[in-house]
Amino acid sequence: MTSPTDIGAALQQDGGEGGAPEPFGLGSSPLRSDALPKALGIYPYAADLWAEGLLWGAVLRSPHPHARIRGIDTSAALALPGVHAVVTAADLPPGPDGLPDGAPAGPIVADRPVLAAGVVRHHGEPVAAVAADHPDTARLAVGLIAVDYEPLEAVTDPEQSFTAPPLHPDGNLFRHLPLRTGDPDAVGEIVVEGLYQVGRQDPAPLGAEAGLAVPRPDGGVELHLSSTDPHGDRDRTATCLGLEPDRVRLVATGVPGATTDREDLSFQVTLALLALRTGRPVKMTLTREESFHTHTSRHPALLRYRHHADAEGTLVKVEAQILLDGGAYADVSAEALAAATAFSVGPYVCPNVFVDAWAVRTNNPPAGRMRGEGALQTCFAYESQLDQLAARVGVDPVEIRRRNAMATGDPLPTGQAVTCPAPVKALLDAVAAEPLPALPVDDPDAEWLLPGGPGGAGDPAAVRRGIGYAVGMVHMLGAEGEDEVSTATVRVSGDHATVICAAVDAGQGFATLARQIVQTVLGVSEVYIAPADSDQSIAGPSARGRHTWVSGGAVERAALMVRHQLLQPIAANFGMSVELLQIADGKITSYDGVLGMPVAEALEGKELWATAQCRPHPTEPLDESGHGDAFVSISFCAMRAVVDVDIELGAVRVVEMTVAQDVGRALNPRQIEDRIEAGVAQGVGLALMEDLQTSGGVLLNPSLTGYRLPTSLDTPEVRIAALLEERDVVATFGAKAVSAVPAVVAPAAVAAAVRAATGLPVGRLPIRAEDAVTV
Amino acid sequence: MLPASLDEAVDALAAAPAAVPVAGATDLMEAVNAGRLRPAALVGLGRITELRGWRYEDGGTAVLGAGLTHARMDRPDFAALIPALADAARTAGPPQVRNVGTLGGNIVTAAPAGDTLPVLTALEATVTLARSGGTREVPVSHLLTGLDPVRPGELLTWVRVPLLHAPQVFLKATGRSGPARATASVALVLDPARRAVRCAVGAVAPVPLRPLEAEAWVAGCIDWDGSREIDPVATAAFGEYVAAACVPDNYGAEGAWEAVTEGPTAAAVRLRRTVSVLARRALGRALK
Ligand SMILES: Cc1cc2nc3c(=O)[nH]c(=O)nc-3n(C[C@H](O)[C@H](O)[C@H](O)COP(=O)(O)OP(=O)(O)OC[C@H]3O[C@@H](n4cnc5c(N)ncnc54)[C@H](O)[C@@H]3O)c2cc1C
């Protein structure tokens, strides 16, 4: 057994190579600063927060996916000793007509009430909340709130949503996006069709929602929780509570790692409301089941595709219908739909593209942001189509992709030219060139890790190996005209520097990166990253891989300004311009090598600081035919999946994933590899097991026993074939976002490999056991 | 309460009838956290060392303590005695859970997917239930079906299992390679002395099911005196036989009447296929 101290020592050694200097600056691979505390179990998560005299919050949730609320009787709950407050929609600021409307809010459209007002639209929707002096009392009180529901028919089939009566005053259609490019009458010699389905993946964050709200003497409130968007969350919370934004302070704390937005709005507004109402700090931690109910999941999708190609397999026309089930509330459905539509053909050139895409409202759990939202669903569909096409043309799957691969300068079907590097062919070639993993035939039987796992029912005689390929793409940063901006301050005093930036490191490694940037620009090795909170300048959400670019850019600029302040007097002293000085290896040197001065000496007794912003070039919304320059940049990835399938039981094990990714520039190679492994794990989970199931809108498996996540035995070996470093000239340091695209591509690659192993069509994700049984 | 002996424990339960026994707490805490259980008091069984081991009884029986952990049952010395139970214990959850989760807890919880249950059913095990002032012996199947449940104030102390000195197998189908609950499981033991094959199917019904006719039929196909060989066709037929016996036509159907005219549901067909493969492989391994 390894003791915690052993792990600590190992980590330290890993970081420092036994006394060798710490990795320094861009291109090196320093360890995340929270890696050690998280591995040792001493990292304080939001659920560990404490304040003197705090009360405990609990939420009452709807047992119905769709119902009218005839009345709520809170008297019994209020009468329970120890209960300090019970709140419902009536305690929130009223709507425009003066009646309670639950203070609806949302990232794009304000349609999701904090607490249901008059009607509940999904199973688990918050209806009321309690603050009490003990968590058990709070939960007991929740049980005493009597809600008179009139169950209504639940619309749970997204195809029925079009004709169903409106489930919300805003109607049932979140967005319809038509894409019309080229000649509708074009036909190809070869036509392949397919119907594809993607289930509901949940982010299932291991740290369930938790937070602490503390009332302020000025009538405001301070929220400590694992927000990944401190300013956005602050503004929305303030609006819902009818407060000025500066009366709400949001401190990002104890972020356990997030692949989506953390902490749904209802949770934080309810928490703040309870604190304001009672005048006491209130803490709330959700149970695992509640967590499944409350945060958004991935959009389930139904995709119908028809590809036309010539006899060689060159694409002539792609037609598609895409339907995303947005669940009860809009959230980011419109944005996910834009990605699904714009990338509906994938990283391929096709002159004629006709797509209709819809995101609709149902009484299913609300869908929202999750790595590669929209892009993932279509990747599975277009890559499945390409496999079919390859089979029809009679070429191998890599060749069909090479024949159609897009390159820099080619247009997306939206008309936007791909101006960033698009090394699709090179990525494919890189994964195809890697050696294949050996079959375990030479190992003793007992050491085979068969599908079904060790001690499982696997039988080598029934196992077939399959190999599949996929390529995919996803945009980075906000799309369709969203204002992208981030601000950062860099301060140097003496021998150390501090970065103040409200960009939350949700596991993507921004804090490590910011440290590396300052090290490189200023030659200072000790860099402290201040915790993020909403009193700092705005940095925007941790999503869409934007912080490397936008916040990284702001940190770089601020650091460069400090550098200028530092070098200017030295340059003046020597009668040369600042440009002729450089900082490297902790030394300031002049171009001719005459001057050499340690950075530490130059900084002695100085306090320098600067604040800067980064705002990438603007984008525009897609128009009524789906055209427009909607994206700032795109990243690409190719994968090869090797799977073993027990064709009698339908059990699948992914043996290996080989990845080649377009990273622009590898700012921290090890961190990139970690992100790729994380994306692969999430993609494998979606491909094989992760599915939040519902029946008539009621969640069936809101637990980690019922909702299966991949374990270490389910996550494959990840082999990095290449991190292609073709700089994206407009991006900060030329680097591309790395986290989302592996998750986008992995499910398609796994599906292709299962298809190869079984000869079955595999049109649905996750792949159920019965979809992989051949006998 | 943390009694140090069995007697203390049963007395404690007699004195506080509302108290709940707790062993590894891997099921109990889940119920408490989910608000399904609010024990007035707990009687911890962890310090009763005698329940953490096993002994032999004449007549070829092993008497297993209810406090045996899954991790302990997975060790080679135990696996040599009752291989199928060791197989089941090996797959009963992640290591953290198997290090504390016990045989007794698994039986009393009686979850449909409890992994030791089909093995104990196939072995026709009996359990000893102790209360202050007396004990009684109950077949595990009676306990599980509710025919003769654990009564308030009773502790499950021992599990009696015959030592068969012959191959036995437990196989489980799950939805992933890492530890997970069974979607179906099959336990199969050979009893050469009685020339019998005993089999139980887990996780497909609230309690493990015994396909008695299939057992009797396949026992007749085995060459018991020779090398215990069997025609592969018979092995496959056994799988089908077991599956048909344990999975009803209307499996998964909303209303039972659907079955009357329409033949097996799609869910029944799928589950039968799985059970059939498991039973066939289990028999194949037992006779290898
Ligand atoms: C993550 C996880 C994964 C799991 N995976 C599996 C799995 O794959 N397969 C599987 O079978 N199980 C699994 N389990 C369930 C559980 O671990 C087992 O059922 C275990 O055997 C329970 O034993 P315990 O000692 O922890 O029981 P406890 O939780 O202590 O007790 C369970 C119940 O039995 C009663 N009880 C316990 N001992 C006695 C006794 N001697 N006399 C009378 N009553 C008693 C308790 O009062 C309680 O009602 C899993 C559990 C978890 C948390």
Side-chain angles (χ1 to χ4, degrees):
Chain A
M1 236 188 84
T2 323
S3 75
T5 35
D6 292 343
I7 299 174
L11 279 172
Q12 261 155 6
Q13 207 179 33
D14 214 17
E17 298 293 306
E22 277 266 332
F24 179 95
L26 293 171
S28 74
S29 295
L31 199 65
R32 302 174 51 90
S33 56
D34 59 352
L36 197 58
K38 279 183 173 165
L40 292 175
I42 53 175
Y43 178 86
Y45 289 100
D48 301 320
L49 293 169
W50 187 263
E52 207 44 47
L54 60 74
L55 299 173
W56 296 84
V59 177
L60 174 70
R61 296 174 188 280
S62 165
H64 303 287
H66 193 202
R68 188 164 292 123
I69 299 177
R70 288 209 207 90
I72 305 181
D73 181 359
T74 59
S75 53
L78 271 168
L80 191 74
V83 170
H84 289 249
V86 180
V87 295
T88 65
D91 297 278
L92 289 157
D97 55 3
L99 295 172
D101 64 354
I108 300 176
V109 195
D111 72 343
R112 185 175 184 176
V114 171
L115 295 168
V119 51
V120 288
R121 298 187 181 86
H122 70 92
H123 180 208
E125 178 159 4
V127 175
V130 172
D133 55 13
H134 191 274
D136 281 353
T137 314
R139 294 207 183 273
L140 233 93
V142 158
L144 291 175
I145 301 172
V147 185
D148 182 10
Y149 293 105
E150 177 194 338
L152 301 172
E153 200 181 330
V155 176
T156 56
D157 176 351
E159 288 183 291
Q160 304 292 319
S161 166
F162 293 95
T163 51
L167 303 171
H168 188 282
D170 291 358
N172 292 354
L173 185 62
F174 294 134
R175 189 177 190 184
H176 170 217
L177 200 51
L179 175 58
R180 314 265 181 263
T181 298
D183 172 12
D185 299 323
V187 286
E189 257 168 84
I190 299 179
V191 177
V192 292
E193 288 185 309
L195 177 64
Y196 304 96
Q197 228 180 314
V198 180
R200 178 177 290 106
Q201 184 179 34
D202 193 277
L206 286 192
E209 289 72 1
L212 179 72
V214 184
R216 294 206 310 207
D218 65 356
V221 62
E222 207 168 283
L223 279 163
H224 298 256
L225 31 74
S226 342
S227 168
T228 48
D229 182 9
H231 290 88
D233 283 344
R234 175 200 63 182
D235 293 349
R236 289 185 285 265
T237 303
T239 307
C240 291
L241 293 171
L243 294 172
E244 288 302 314
D246 59 6
R247 290 290 164 93
V248 178
R249 175 165 180 239
L250 213 134
V251 183
T253 179
V255 182
T259 60
T260 56
D261 297 338
R262 283 281 315 179
E263 318 306 25
D264 72 309
L265 199 61
S266 165
F267 174 82
Q268 54 208 40
V269 178
T270 307
L271 192 60
L273 179 63
L274 289 171
L276 289 170
R277 183 49 61 94
T278 57
R280 305 252 303 254
V282 178
K283 172 172 171 169
M284 188 149 72
T285 54
L286 297 191
T287 63
R288 175 59 54 196
E289 185 176 343
E290 285 182 288
S291 176
F292 273 107
H293 276 293
T294 192
H295 57 235
T296 56
S297 49
R298 191 183 287 292
H299 290 80
L302 200 62
L303 310 105
R304 222 172 253 119
Y305 266 75
R306 186 184 291 137
H307 278 56
H308 292 250
D310 68 13
E312 271 71 55
T314 306
L315 292 179
V316 173
K317 185 170 71 169
V318 172
E319 296 166 292
Q321 293 179 330
I322 299 167
L323 178 57
L324 299 184
D325 177 357
Y329 296 107
D331 206 280
V332 296
S333 287
E335 198 185 309
L337 196 74
T341 311
F343 307 136
S344 54
V345 177
Y348 305 112
V349 179
C350 182
N352 310 300
V353 179
F354 294 85
V355 179
D356 276 288
W358 301 268
V360 296
R361 191 190 308 273
T362 61
N363 292 118
N364 288 323
R369 198 179 291 297
M370 237 188 122
R371 279 196 191 132
E373 56 272 353
L376 179 148
Q377 290 88 334
T378 45
C379 182
F380 168 54
Y382 61 70
E383 287 301 82
S384 299
Q385 288 285 98
L386 268 267
D387 279 353
Q388 271 202 58
L389 190 57
R392 281 283 293 282
V393 177
V395 297
D396 78 74
V398 177
E399 181 53 30
I400 198 84
R401 289 172 169 83
R402 294 184 90 262
R403 283 183 194 174
N404 289 291
M406 78 167 34
T408 305
D410 283 333
L412 290 175
T414 57
Q416 174 171 5
V418 177
T419 50
C420 67
V424 180
K425 251 183 220 157
L427 293 171
L428 270 167
D429 291 343
V431 290
E434 286 292 308
L436 284 164
L439 285 163
V441 278
D442 296 329
D443 300 347
D445 273 15
E447 280 165 31
W448 289 31
L449 186 49
L450 293 171
D459 179 356
V463 173
R464 302 286 178 275
R465 180 155 286 192
I467 298 161
Y469 293 85
V471 210
M473 65 207 292
V474 69
H475 68 286
M476 47 196 122
L477 278 55
E480 290 195 274
E482 194 174 320
D483 183 28
E484 274 293 10
V485 63
S486 180
T487 319
T489 300
V490 172
R491 194 175 63 211
V492 185
S493 58
D495 60 349
H496 65 274
T498 305
V499 177
I500 302 162
C501 178
V504 175
D505 189 340
Q508 85 279 38
F510 177 72
T512 314
L513 184 65
R515 184 151 46 105
Q516 291 177 265
I517 294 171
V518 174
Q519 286 174 338
T520 297
V521 176
L522 291 173
V524 180
S525 58
E526 209 160 310
V527 184
Y528 172 69
I529 312 296
D533 86 58
S534 65
D535 283 355
Q536 297 158 356
S537 303
I538 190 160
S542 302
R544 308 175 218 102
R546 53 185 294 286
H547 277 322
T548 298
W549 185 320
V550 190
S551 298
V555 171
E556 186 202 13
R557 277 175 209 187
L560 284 171
M561 287 158 73
V562 171
R563 183 179 184 271
H564 197 83
Q565 295 173 37
L566 173 67
L567 296 185
Q568 204 167 31
I570 300 169
N573 225 357
F574 287 86
M576 56 173 78
S577 74
V578 171
E579 284 70 38
L580 298 179
L581 295 175
Q582 63 172 25
I583 298 181
D585 301 325
K587 269 212 197 91
I588 300 169
T589 41
S590 59
Y591 74 109
D592 53 9
V594 171
L595 170 74
M597 179 195 251
V599 174
E601 194 185 312
L603 274 170
E604 223 169 87
K606 287 210 174 100
E607 162 111 14
L608 305 171
W609 66 272
T611 298
Q613 276 200 332
C614 175
R615 184 174 252 129
H617 61 86
T619 54
E620 61 192 29
L622 296 172
D623 64 19
E624 63 287 350
S625 51
H627 292 198
D629 287 357
F631 307 110
V632 180
S633 184
I634 298 170
S635 60
F636 300 86
C637 175
M639 286 194 194
R640 180 186 69 198
V642 177
V643 303
D644 281 345
V645 182
D646 184 325
I647 55 165
E648 290 182 340
L649 288 175
V652 179
R653 192 178 83 82
V654 184
V655 177
E656 186 192 88
M657 294 288 264
T658 303
V659 185
Q661 192 163 318
D662 144 51
V663 299
R665 178 177 169 197
L667 301 176
N668 181 331
R670 188 162 73 183
Q671 199 151 277
I672 293 177
E673 287 173 23
D674 291 350
R675 303 311 287 161
I676 291 176
E677 285 178 13
V680 165
Q682 196 169 35
V684 165
L686 180 139
L688 296 181
M689 59 194 86
E690 291 187 47
D691 197 4
L692 193 59
Q693 291 162 343
T694 56
S695 165
V698 174
L699 282 194
L700 297 179
N701 56 341
S703 75
L704 290 181
T705 301
Y707 183 86
R708 287 189 302 255
L709 287 169
T711 68
S712 57
L713 290 173
D714 298 282
T715 40
E717 284 296 320
V718 176
R719 182 199 285 262
I720 308 286
L723 300 179
L724 286 191
E725 298 194 68
E726 206 180 309
R727 306 282 154 99
D728 184 350
V729 288
V730 294
T732 301
F733 303 113
K736 290 190 177 184
V738 297
S739 292
V741 75
V744 166
V745 180
V750 172
V754 173
R755 217 173 273 137
T758 61
L760 295 168
V762 186
R764 183 192 183 280
L765 296 179
I767 302 167
R768 299 162 298 187
E770 67 252 36
D771 302 331
V773 172
T774 63
V775 284
Chain B
M1 281 173 277
L2 265 178
S5 75
L6 249 180
D7 289 342
E8 275 181 44
V10 288
D11 288 346
L13 277 179
V20 176
V22 55
T26 57
D27 280 324
L28 183 115
M29 277 315 292
E30 202 267 324
V32 170
N33 290 339
R36 279 183 279 116
L37 187 72
R38 286 184 170 274
L42 290 174
V43 176
L45 307 178
R47 291 203 357 217
I48 312 177
T49 36
E50 58 184 307
L51 288 186
R52 301 179 72 88
W54 72 86
R55 58 192 156 80
Y56 303 101
E57 231 171 43
D58 29 270
T61 302
V63 184
L64 314 179
L68 273 171
T69 61
H70 294 296
R72 182 67 192 88
M73 292 189 284
D74 175 26
R75 295 239 286 269
D77 55 346
F78 190 93
L81 285 180
I82 316 169
L85 199 51
D87 284 350
R90 185 172 313 132
T91 66
Q96 300 92 320
V97 167
R98 293 188 300 110
N99 281 335
V100 293
T102 63
L103 178 62
N106 203 248
I107 300 172
V108 175
T109 296
D115 283 323
T116 68
L117 310 180
V119 179
L120 298 174
T121 305
L123 288 168
E124 298 183 337
T126 61
V127 301
T128 308
L129 298 172
R131 61 183 184 288
S132 187
T135 63
R136 62 194 183 104
E137 199 70 18
V138 177
V140 79
S141 55
H142 291 194
L143 195 77
L144 295 176
T145 52
L147 201 65
D148 199 349
V150 183
R151 298 177 196 150
E154 276 184 339
L155 268 187
L156 196 159
T157 50
W158 305 105
V159 182
R160 284 194 158 65
V161 177
L163 292 171
L164 300 173
H165 309 293
Q168 34 181 253
V169 181
F170 169 80
L171 294 182
K172 149 176 178 184
T174 66
R176 67 180 171 199
S177 294
R181 304 285 177 146
T183 47
S185 62
V186 168
L188 185 137
V189 304
L190 300 186
D191 187 350
R194 286 196 269 167
R195 301 194 163 205
V197 173
R198 290 202 296 278
C199 173
V201 177
V204 304
V207 295
L209 303 176
R210 288 276 303 272
L212 295 172
E213 287 175 21
E215 290 176 5
W217 174 78
V218 81
C221 301
I222 298 171
D223 166 21
W224 290 102
D225 298 316
S227 52
R228 282 192 206 145
E229 264 172 31
I230 186 167
D231 184 343
V233 178
T235 316
F238 172 70
E240 310 267 312
Y241 204 163
V242 171
C246 296
V247 182
D249 272 356
N250 65 347
Y251 182 84
E254 301 267 311
W257 65 87
E258 278 180 44
V260 181
T261 52
E262 292 177 14
T265 59
V269 171
R270 288 197 295 265
L271 189 60
R272 277 184 190 160
R273 199 161 48 200
T274 303
V275 170
S276 152
V277 171
L278 292 179
R280 166 163 59 76
R281 289 186 185 174
L283 184 66
R285 287 193 198 179
L287 298 176
K288 194 155 71 179

